[in-house]
Amino acid sequence: MAKTPVRYEPKTAEPRQQARWAAADAFRMPTEGTGRPKYYVLEMFPYPSGAIHMGHARNYVMGDVVARSKRAQGFDVLHPMGWDAFGLPAENAAIERGVHPGDWTWSNIAAMRDQLKLLGLSLDWSREFATCDPAYYGKQQAWFLELLKRGLVYRKDSVVNWDPVDNTVLANEQVVDGRGWRSGAVVEKRKLNQWFLRITDYADDLIEGLKELEGRWPDKVRLMQENWIGRSKGLQMTWKWSGEAPAAAPDGLEIYTTRPDTLFGASFMGVAPDHPVARAIAQTNPDAAAFVAECRKGGSTQAEIEQAEKIGFDTGLKVIHPFDGREVSVWIANFILSEYGTGAIFGCPAHDQRDLDFARKYRLPVVPVVRPDGADEGFDVETEAYVGPGHLFNSDFLNGLEIEAAKAEAIRRIEAAGAGQGATIYRLRDWGVSRQRYWGCPIPVIHCAKCGPVGVPVDQLPVELPRDVTFDTPGNPLDRHPTWKHVSCPTCGGEAVRETDTLDTFVDSSWYFARFTDPAAAEPISRAAADKWLPVDQYIGGVEHAVLHLLYARFISRALSDAGLMSVREPFAGLFTQGMVIHETYRRADGGWVEPTDVELTNDAGKRSARQLSTGEALTIGDIEKMSKSKKNVVAPQEIVDTYGVDAGRLFVLSDSPPERDVQWTPGGVEGAARFVQRVWTEVDGFDPDAPAHESDAALVRETHKAIKAVSEGVSGFRFNSAIAKLYAFVAVVRDHGGAGGAARRQALSALVRLVAPFTPHLAEECWTRLGEEGMVLDAPWPEFDPALAADDEVILPIQVNGKRRGEIRVARGLEPAEVEAIVMADPDVQARLEGQTVRKIVVVKDRIVNLVVG
RNA sequence: GCGAGCGUGGCGAAACUGGUAGACGCAAGGGACUUAAAAUCCCUCGACUUCGGUCAUGCGGGUUCGACCCCCGCCGCUCGCACCA
């Protein structure tokens, strides 16, 4: 009699296995390791917004698959989790609801930790920390002071977005159409003295480092960083004034160019409206002042910049061309950026589109100096600047040279004349880290009228945030706190005040991966622990951090290495950027969004419709979008756990799309995953050691090893969807094979359980126990692939005629092409098909294909 | 504008280095079991077809014995940067 199948119950099994792991403290990794090779898996730690969503879940499940499979493959796996806990939302909650930012944050952390634990992740919770804990940010202050000592931290005036109503600095993203996002006030540009980190010192190193990451980081991310740093090589040079020099630039006008080869094509000079020369003129010349004001008015949105007309103002000043001595007039122009290069350019309209637009408008000369090879003497430029390759003409000693050679020669001549030098410049700016905010890491500096800014002595760290603050008035609560900022100067003992700015939260996330290696260390980073575990072998997170976070972390790692705090300069050896979880949206006739739990979907022969359960109203099925509260298309992990079990949810978020792509959450999809969970259990549960084996067990052994190979490759190559597809197919093979017992079946089931374990760990543990295995599948070795056992004795060779598949033959594996050819030509079906035609050529690819060329 | 990526069934997708296009899942249709339902299982499922085949991986060419894959030219979508001299 067949045994009645027992249903697998995730509701009881999942908590049971989680309790087992917890009781065994199974995921704690000693800092010194256990002697196996190390593997550090890390997912970008979350901001404690209050709830874990499916996007988080997918991210952490991917990391968990890597962590669990690496553990099975014999590694000491470090897999920690923490909280990126400083930031603006906590202050907004304080303003809106009157709660303390700290209380809000810590209660969110508690809630999210519980939600995260439902997912059954193999995390070492003993290493958990939040960046808002003084135990963490105090260490950050310590290394900040070290960088200050080393000159990597400095202060300078910089222009910021200032909200005059809220009395605060706004990030660029917080300025909407020129107004503060919260107050609605017109944002002012204001100069503030701010703290900066010298990331530009590392610009070259950060670019060079990208090369070594080839293959382990997405090309897209490496390219984005390279573009962001924006290195360009060119010439920085000074043009002497013709006549009296303006006081703002007594030595001449300094410009930067990447096209020194086109110097003979210069027809005007341009300076930014903020350039010292422009500002000086605006002070005495009302027309110039009006023009500069006009330029400032221009919007900063993309569309506005794109459409903005190029406008200029002739200053009347003239400079002398370094090569041919002619006078060139100096203009103030709105399209020149004061922050890039020297804020001044030479205009060569023939070979730069912007310069050409400008020259045409103001009727300035357009002299082409480069022409494409093959163009005749009369080569000219009309409305489109020529930026392609070619050779120089109209250029005296540069005539006939190719562009690169001409650049080199022009630079050589300018250098020889002492008028300038070849220079490499960067788009990247130093990192402004000052924030006029409460909920951030205090900058550990004291300002003394006599001694200037003085670092807080290390033995006085951490500089803790005061708890008694109010948010009833705009501005930084630290600034108006009655006592906190008033201290004595550590150097002279005189009256002094604390710095009340806090650090950009990107600083907090720039070194947390190093702190995780020994989160209790007295020093910011334990050298021994960091040297053992870093770099992070596999880092996983959203592509939205491709530039800022990942660039800052690479910079800080280098800076801390140079300061002797750690050794590894490149923190993330491998990076994977995962796609989002998206979901359909549902809308009522009145435009209101409806959440999926309140929607009933019907499918009538392919025609889908939706209605709202609570009202019965018909709904419009809208776009499939990123899950968001505003569109109400969110699915909470808790619901999934309750309905289908964690394992089904874990499986589904990885099964339906490649991990780098977005995955659409569908109820049908999770149900499919839940069915698979049942099928695995049914096969394992149905195993009977006393039952007879199936007679053709060699076939099952082959399929087992093919599955081991495919799943192993899928897991290591981040093709989780393919790995899961192979697992589905393998379970079908096991099921259809027949025979409830036997060694081959036992091996197949044992391999299956270990292969599914990274994806559905709870199910795997239940199965492992059911199979009578010792201990936990968690500690079981990854199944080993044996190519000899996976190989078929025979292969099916498709037979193509002129490249089209026309039939197939079954032959012994490894047969030489000549033998295959003989068999094919003797085959009656082939003969019948070839009747009356001449075979011109036979292509045989061993064990793969046969192609007959007939004509 | 510059840079990158992607276009394959009704849908999500597979196809390793140029070698049987559509694995696996969803949806759909049919059937078995059942008093019935759920659950489960089985079959069909790119298009056309005179049932021999023919056509199919965005479009048009090319290279090759053979192309989703490589090359050239278009079209469409997505992302990043954007007046960066």
Side-chain angles (χ1 to χ4, degrees), chain A residues 477-503:
Chain A
L478 292 177
D479 213 22
R480 56 171 188 269
H481 189 279
T483 55
W484 183 78
K485 73 175 177 181
H486 302 287
V487 288
S488 53
C489 171
T491 307
C492 70
E495 258 182 51
V497 289
R498 283 190 193 286
E499 171 65 64
T500 58
D501 284 355
T502 52
L503 288 172

PDB file of all heavy atoms in Angstrom, chain A residues 477-503:
ATOM      1  N   PRO A 477      18.694  72.057  16.165  1.00  0.00           N
ATOM      2  CA  PRO A 477      18.499  72.108  17.634  1.00  0.00           C
ATOM      3  C   PRO A 477      19.816  72.142  18.400  1.00  0.00           C
ATOM      4  O   PRO A 477      19.850  72.656  19.519  1.00  0.00           O
ATOM      5  CB  PRO A 477      17.747  70.810  17.942  1.00  0.00           C
ATOM      6  CG  PRO A 477      17.209  70.325  16.652  1.00  0.00           C
ATOM      7  CD  PRO A 477      18.102  70.845  15.567  1.00  0.00           C
ATOM      8  N   LEU A 478      20.864  71.624  17.806  1.00  0.00           N
ATOM      9  CA  LEU A 478      22.156  71.635  18.504  1.00  0.00           C
ATOM     10  C   LEU A 478      22.648  73.065  18.680  1.00  0.00           C
ATOM     11  O   LEU A 478      23.288  73.414  19.666  1.00  0.00           O
ATOM     12  CB  LEU A 478      23.204  70.840  17.710  1.00  0.00           C
ATOM     13  CG  LEU A 478      22.976  69.339  17.631  1.00  0.00           C
ATOM     14  CD1 LEU A 478      24.056  68.700  16.761  1.00  0.00           C
ATOM     15  CD2 LEU A 478      22.979  68.717  19.018  1.00  0.00           C
ATOM     16  N   ASP A 479      22.316  73.880  17.685  1.00  0.00           N
ATOM     17  CA  ASP A 479      22.782  75.255  17.651  1.00  0.00           C
ATOM     18  C   ASP A 479      22.149  76.083  18.769  1.00  0.00           C
ATOM     19  O   ASP A 479      22.763  76.981  19.313  1.00  0.00           O
ATOM     20  CB  ASP A 479      22.420  75.850  16.286  1.00  0.00           C
ATOM     21  CG  ASP A 479      23.453  76.849  15.828  1.00  0.00           C
ATOM     22  OD1 ASP A 479      24.600  76.768  16.336  1.00  0.00           O
ATOM     23  OD2 ASP A 479      23.123  77.682  14.980  1.00  0.00           O
ATOM     24  N   ARG A 480      20.892  75.769  19.109  1.00  0.00           N
ATOM     25  CA  ARG A 480      20.211  76.585  20.118  1.00  0.00           C
ATOM     26  C   ARG A 480      20.076  75.855  21.455  1.00  0.00           C
ATOM     27  O   ARG A 480      19.370  76.302  22.355  1.00  0.00           O
ATOM     28  CB  ARG A 480      18.832  77.013  19.597  1.00  0.00           C
ATOM     29  CG  ARG A 480      17.945  75.863  19.183  1.00  0.00           C
ATOM     30  CD  ARG A 480      16.533  76.300  18.889  1.00  0.00           C
ATOM     31  NE  ARG A 480      15.719  75.122  18.682  1.00  0.00           N
ATOM     32  CZ  ARG A 480      15.516  74.561  17.485  1.00  0.00           C
ATOM     33  NH1 ARG A 480      16.021  75.099  16.399  1.00  0.00           N
ATOM     34  NH2 ARG A 480      14.796  73.468  17.396  1.00  0.00           N
ATOM     35  N   HIS A 481      20.742  74.718  21.603  1.00  0.00           N
ATOM     36  CA  HIS A 481      20.744  74.003  22.867  1.00  0.00           C
ATOM     37  C   HIS A 481      21.442  74.891  23.907  1.00  0.00           C
ATOM     38  O   HIS A 481      22.478  75.491  23.614  1.00  0.00           O
ATOM     39  CB  HIS A 481      21.486  72.676  22.719  1.00  0.00           C
ATOM     40  CG  HIS A 481      21.360  71.783  23.903  1.00  0.00           C
ATOM     41  ND1 HIS A 481      22.127  71.928  25.028  1.00  0.00           N
ATOM     42  CD2 HIS A 481      20.527  70.735  24.148  1.00  0.00           C
ATOM     43  CE1 HIS A 481      21.783  70.997  25.915  1.00  0.00           C
ATOM     44  NE2 HIS A 481      20.819  70.267  25.398  1.00  0.00           N
ATOM     45  N   PRO A 482      20.857  75.001  25.117  1.00  0.00           N
ATOM     46  CA  PRO A 482      21.372  75.987  26.074  1.00  0.00           C
ATOM     47  C   PRO A 482      22.804  75.722  26.552  1.00  0.00           C
ATOM     48  O   PRO A 482      23.552  76.674  26.804  1.00  0.00           O
ATOM     49  CB  PRO A 482      20.387  75.898  27.252  1.00  0.00           C
ATOM     50  CG  PRO A 482      19.703  74.576  27.096  1.00  0.00           C
ATOM     51  CD  PRO A 482      19.672  74.303  25.617  1.00  0.00           C
ATOM     52  N   THR A 483      23.204  74.474  26.700  1.00  0.00           N
ATOM     53  CA  THR A 483      24.519  74.220  27.296  1.00  0.00           C
ATOM     54  C   THR A 483      25.479  73.425  26.425  1.00  0.00           C
ATOM     55  O   THR A 483      26.689  73.611  26.495  1.00  0.00           O
ATOM     56  CB  THR A 483      24.352  73.422  28.613  1.00  0.00           C
ATOM     57  OG1 THR A 483      23.604  72.224  28.317  1.00  0.00           O
ATOM     58  CG2 THR A 483      23.599  74.240  29.652  1.00  0.00           C
ATOM     59  N   TRP A 484      24.930  72.541  25.579  1.00  0.00           N
ATOM     60  CA  TRP A 484      25.744  71.516  24.918  1.00  0.00           C
ATOM     61  C   TRP A 484      26.967  72.080  24.200  1.00  0.00           C
ATOM     62  O   TRP A 484      28.065  71.540  24.291  1.00  0.00           O
ATOM     63  CB  TRP A 484      24.876  70.726  23.927  1.00  0.00           C
ATOM     64  CG  TRP A 484      25.592  69.597  23.242  1.00  0.00           C
ATOM     65  CD1 TRP A 484      25.879  68.371  23.759  1.00  0.00           C
ATOM     66  CD2 TRP A 484      26.119  69.596  21.900  1.00  0.00           C
ATOM     67  NE1 TRP A 484      26.541  67.601  22.842  1.00  0.00           N
ATOM     68  CE2 TRP A 484      26.692  68.323  21.688  1.00  0.00           C
ATOM     69  CE3 TRP A 484      26.144  70.539  20.863  1.00  0.00           C
ATOM     70  CZ2 TRP A 484      27.295  67.976  20.481  1.00  0.00           C
ATOM     71  CZ3 TRP A 484      26.739  70.187  19.662  1.00  0.00           C
ATOM     72  CH2 TRP A 484      27.313  68.918  19.478  1.00  0.00           C
ATOM     73  N   LYS A 485      26.746  73.172  23.491  1.00  0.00           N
ATOM     74  CA  LYS A 485      27.856  73.614  22.653  1.00  0.00           C
ATOM     75  C   LYS A 485      28.882  74.467  23.397  1.00  0.00           C
ATOM     76  O   LYS A 485      29.964  74.702  22.877  1.00  0.00           O
ATOM     77  CB  LYS A 485      27.335  74.351  21.410  1.00  0.00           C
ATOM     78  CG  LYS A 485      26.773  75.729  21.650  1.00  0.00           C
ATOM     79  CD  LYS A 485      26.423  76.360  20.310  1.00  0.00           C
ATOM     80  CE  LYS A 485      25.783  77.722  20.480  1.00  0.00           C
ATOM     81  NZ  LYS A 485      25.414  78.321  19.197  1.00  0.00           N
ATOM     82  N   HIS A 486      28.563  74.897  24.585  1.00  0.00           N
ATOM     83  CA  HIS A 486      29.500  75.765  25.306  1.00  0.00           C
ATOM     84  C   HIS A 486      30.497  74.945  26.109  1.00  0.00           C
ATOM     85  O   HIS A 486      30.146  74.256  27.057  1.00  0.00           O
ATOM     86  CB  HIS A 486      28.735  76.726  26.212  1.00  0.00           C
ATOM     87  CG  HIS A 486      27.758  77.576  25.443  1.00  0.00           C
ATOM     88  ND1 HIS A 486      28.167  78.600  24.624  1.00  0.00           N
ATOM     89  CD2 HIS A 486      26.410  77.504  25.335  1.00  0.00           C
ATOM     90  CE1 HIS A 486      27.090  79.147  24.043  1.00  0.00           C
ATOM     91  NE2 HIS A 486      26.021  78.491  24.443  1.00  0.00           N
ATOM     92  N   VAL A 487      31.748  75.012  25.686  1.00  0.00           N
ATOM     93  CA  VAL A 487      32.810  74.229  26.322  1.00  0.00           C
ATOM     94  C   VAL A 487      34.061  75.083  26.418  1.00  0.00           C
ATOM     95  O   VAL A 487      34.111  76.196  25.885  1.00  0.00           O
ATOM     96  CB  VAL A 487      33.143  72.960  25.495  1.00  0.00           C
ATOM     97  CG1 VAL A 487      32.046  71.940  25.604  1.00  0.00           C
ATOM     98  CG2 VAL A 487      33.422  73.327  24.040  1.00  0.00           C
ATOM     99  N   SER A 488      35.046  74.537  27.065  1.00  0.00           N
ATOM    100  CA  SER A 488      36.314  75.276  27.091  1.00  0.00           C
ATOM    101  C   SER A 488      37.249  74.688  26.047  1.00  0.00           C
ATOM    102  O   SER A 488      37.164  73.506  25.692  1.00  0.00           O
ATOM    103  CB  SER A 488      36.940  75.206  28.482  1.00  0.00           C
ATOM    104  OG  SER A 488      37.030  73.856  28.894  1.00  0.00           O
ATOM    105  N   CYS A 489      38.136  75.509  25.563  1.00  0.00           N
ATOM    106  CA  CYS A 489      39.045  75.100  24.495  1.00  0.00           C
ATOM    107  C   CYS A 489      40.027  74.058  25.020  1.00  0.00           C
ATOM    108  O   CYS A 489      40.661  74.284  26.060  1.00  0.00           O
ATOM    109  CB  CYS A 489      39.816  76.309  23.957  1.00  0.00           C
ATOM    110  SG  CYS A 489      41.133  75.842  22.813  1.00  0.00           S
ATOM    111  N   PRO A 490      40.154  72.939  24.337  1.00  0.00           N
ATOM    112  CA  PRO A 490      41.070  71.885  24.800  1.00  0.00           C
ATOM    113  C   PRO A 490      42.528  72.358  24.789  1.00  0.00           C
ATOM    114  O   PRO A 490      43.354  71.810  25.518  1.00  0.00           O
ATOM    115  CB  PRO A 490      40.879  70.758  23.788  1.00  0.00           C
ATOM    116  CG  PRO A 490      39.658  71.103  23.012  1.00  0.00           C
ATOM    117  CD  PRO A 490      39.467  72.579  23.093  1.00  0.00           C
ATOM    118  N   THR A 491      42.817  73.373  24.002  1.00  0.00           N
ATOM    119  CA  THR A 491      44.207  73.820  23.890  1.00  0.00           C
ATOM    120  C   THR A 491      44.527  74.910  24.920  1.00  0.00           C
ATOM    121  O   THR A 491      45.450  74.771  25.714  1.00  0.00           O
ATOM    122  CB  THR A 491      44.493  74.361  22.475  1.00  0.00           C
ATOM    123  OG1 THR A 491      44.100  73.382  21.535  1.00  0.00           O
ATOM    124  CG2 THR A 491      45.970  74.674  22.309  1.00  0.00           C
ATOM    125  N   CYS A 492      43.731  75.999  24.913  1.00  0.00           N
ATOM    126  CA  CYS A 492      44.072  77.119  25.784  1.00  0.00           C
ATOM    127  C   CYS A 492      43.157  77.216  27.004  1.00  0.00           C
ATOM    128  O   CYS A 492      43.405  78.018  27.907  1.00  0.00           O
ATOM    129  CB  CYS A 492      44.031  78.426  24.993  1.00  0.00           C
ATOM    130  SG  CYS A 492      42.363  78.933  24.505  1.00  0.00           S
ATOM    131  N   GLY A 493      42.104  76.438  27.039  1.00  0.00           N
ATOM    132  CA  GLY A 493      41.221  76.458  28.200  1.00  0.00           C
ATOM    133  C   GLY A 493      40.222  77.600  28.193  1.00  0.00           C
ATOM    134  O   GLY A 493      39.374  77.686  29.073  1.00  0.00           O
ATOM    135  N   GLY A 494      40.309  78.455  27.183  1.00  0.00           N
ATOM    136  CA  GLY A 494      39.398  79.595  27.116  1.00  0.00           C
ATOM    137  C   GLY A 494      38.004  79.191  26.669  1.00  0.00           C
ATOM    138  O   GLY A 494      37.740  78.028  26.342  1.00  0.00           O
ATOM    139  N   GLU A 495      37.123  80.168  26.659  1.00  0.00           N
ATOM    140  CA  GLU A 495      35.757  79.915  26.231  1.00  0.00           C
ATOM    141  C   GLU A 495      35.729  79.507  24.764  1.00  0.00           C
ATOM    142  O   GLU A 495      36.385  80.134  23.943  1.00  0.00           O
ATOM    143  CB  GLU A 495      34.917  81.179  26.416  1.00  0.00           C
ATOM    144  CG  GLU A 495      34.036  81.141  27.636  1.00  0.00           C
ATOM    145  CD  GLU A 495      33.178  82.381  27.754  1.00  0.00           C
ATOM    146  OE1 GLU A 495      32.516  82.724  26.747  1.00  0.00           O
ATOM    147  OE2 GLU A 495      33.209  82.999  28.836  1.00  0.00           O
ATOM    148  N   ALA A 496      34.952  78.502  24.491  1.00  0.00           N
ATOM    149  CA  ALA A 496      34.879  78.028  23.105  1.00  0.00           C
ATOM    150  C   ALA A 496      33.519  77.380  22.866  1.00  0.00           C
ATOM    151  O   ALA A 496      32.746  77.168  23.812  1.00  0.00           O
ATOM    152  CB  ALA A 496      35.999  77.015  22.838  1.00  0.00           C
ATOM    153  N   VAL A 497      33.208  77.111  21.598  1.00  0.00           N
ATOM    154  CA  VAL A 497      31.942  76.445  21.270  1.00  0.00           C
ATOM    155  C   VAL A 497      32.197  75.214  20.415  1.00  0.00           C
ATOM    156  O   VAL A 497      33.125  75.171  19.605  1.00  0.00           O
ATOM    157  CB  VAL A 497      30.964  77.377  20.513  1.00  0.00           C
ATOM    158  CG1 VAL A 497      30.419  78.449  21.428  1.00  0.00           C
ATOM    159  CG2 VAL A 497      31.619  77.975  19.281  1.00  0.00           C
ATOM    160  N   ARG A 498      31.318  74.239  20.623  1.00  0.00           N
ATOM    161  CA  ARG A 498      31.394  73.038  19.788  1.00  0.00           C
ATOM    162  C   ARG A 498      30.922  73.334  18.374  1.00  0.00           C
ATOM    163  O   ARG A 498      30.036  74.172  18.173  1.00  0.00           O
ATOM    164  CB  ARG A 498      30.453  71.958  20.328  1.00  0.00           C
ATOM    165  CG  ARG A 498      30.945  71.232  21.520  1.00  0.00           C
ATOM    166  CD  ARG A 498      30.032  70.027  21.786  1.00  0.00           C
ATOM    167  NE  ARG A 498      30.298  69.482  23.090  1.00  0.00           N
ATOM    168  CZ  ARG A 498      31.391  68.756  23.376  1.00  0.00           C
ATOM    169  NH1 ARG A 498      32.293  68.500  22.433  1.00  0.00           N
ATOM    170  NH2 ARG A 498      31.582  68.303  24.589  1.00  0.00           N
ATOM    171  N   GLU A 499      31.438  72.581  17.448  1.00  0.00           N
ATOM    172  CA  GLU A 499      30.870  72.524  16.105  1.00  0.00           C
ATOM    173  C   GLU A 499      29.466  71.934  16.257  1.00  0.00           C
ATOM    174  O   GLU A 499      29.285  70.905  16.915  1.00  0.00           O
ATOM    175  CB  GLU A 499      31.731  71.610  15.229  1.00  0.00           C
ATOM    176  CG  GLU A 499      31.167  71.278  13.879  1.00  0.00           C
ATOM    177  CD  GLU A 499      31.049  72.494  12.975  1.00  0.00           C
ATOM    178  OE1 GLU A 499      32.086  73.083  12.640  1.00  0.00           O
ATOM    179  OE2 GLU A 499      29.894  72.844  12.608  1.00  0.00           O
ATOM    180  N   THR A 500      28.471  72.578  15.670  1.00  0.00           N
ATOM    181  CA  THR A 500      27.103  72.050  15.795  1.00  0.00           C
ATOM    182  C   THR A 500      26.625  71.347  14.529  1.00  0.00           C
ATOM    183  O   THR A 500      25.533  70.791  14.508  1.00  0.00           O
ATOM    184  CB  THR A 500      26.105  73.166  16.152  1.00  0.00           C
ATOM    185  OG1 THR A 500      26.153  74.173  15.140  1.00  0.00           O
ATOM    186  CG2 THR A 500      26.437  73.765  17.506  1.00  0.00           C
ATOM    187  N   ASP A 501      27.438  71.404  13.486  1.00  0.00           N
ATOM    188  CA  ASP A 501      27.092  70.624  12.307  1.00  0.00           C
ATOM    189  C   ASP A 501      27.327  69.138  12.591  1.00  0.00           C
ATOM    190  O   ASP A 501      28.187  68.785  13.387  1.00  0.00           O
ATOM    191  CB  ASP A 501      27.967  71.029  11.111  1.00  0.00           C
ATOM    192  CG  ASP A 501      27.535  72.359  10.508  1.00  0.00           C
ATOM    193  OD1 ASP A 501      26.505  72.899  10.954  1.00  0.00           O
ATOM    194  OD2 ASP A 501      28.231  72.853   9.606  1.00  0.00           O
ATOM    195  N   THR A 502      26.551  68.308  11.916  1.00  0.00           N
ATOM    196  CA  THR A 502      26.775  66.864  12.010  1.00  0.00           C
ATOM    197  C   THR A 502      27.231  66.355  10.647  1.00  0.00           C
ATOM    198  O   THR A 502      27.137  67.055   9.637  1.00  0.00           O
ATOM    199  CB  THR A 502      25.491  66.138  12.440  1.00  0.00           C
ATOM    200  OG1 THR A 502      24.420  66.531  11.577  1.00  0.00           O
ATOM    201  CG2 THR A 502      25.136  66.470  13.879  1.00  0.00           C
ATOM    202  N   LEU A 503      27.704  65.113  10.639  1.00  0.00           N
ATOM    203  CA  LEU A 503      28.252  64.550   9.403  1.00  0.00           C
ATOM    204  C   LEU A 503      27.160  63.992   8.491  1.00  0.00           C
ATOM    205  O   LEU A 503      26.184  63.392   8.963  1.00  0.00           O
ATOM    206  CB  LEU A 503      29.239  63.429   9.723  1.00  0.00           C
ATOM    207  CG  LEU A 503      30.587  63.847  10.307  1.00  0.00           C
ATOM    208  CD1 LEU A 503      31.372  62.606  10.742  1.00  0.00           C
ATOM    209  CD2 LEU A 503      31.392  64.651   9.285  1.00  0.00           C
TER     210      LEU A 503
END
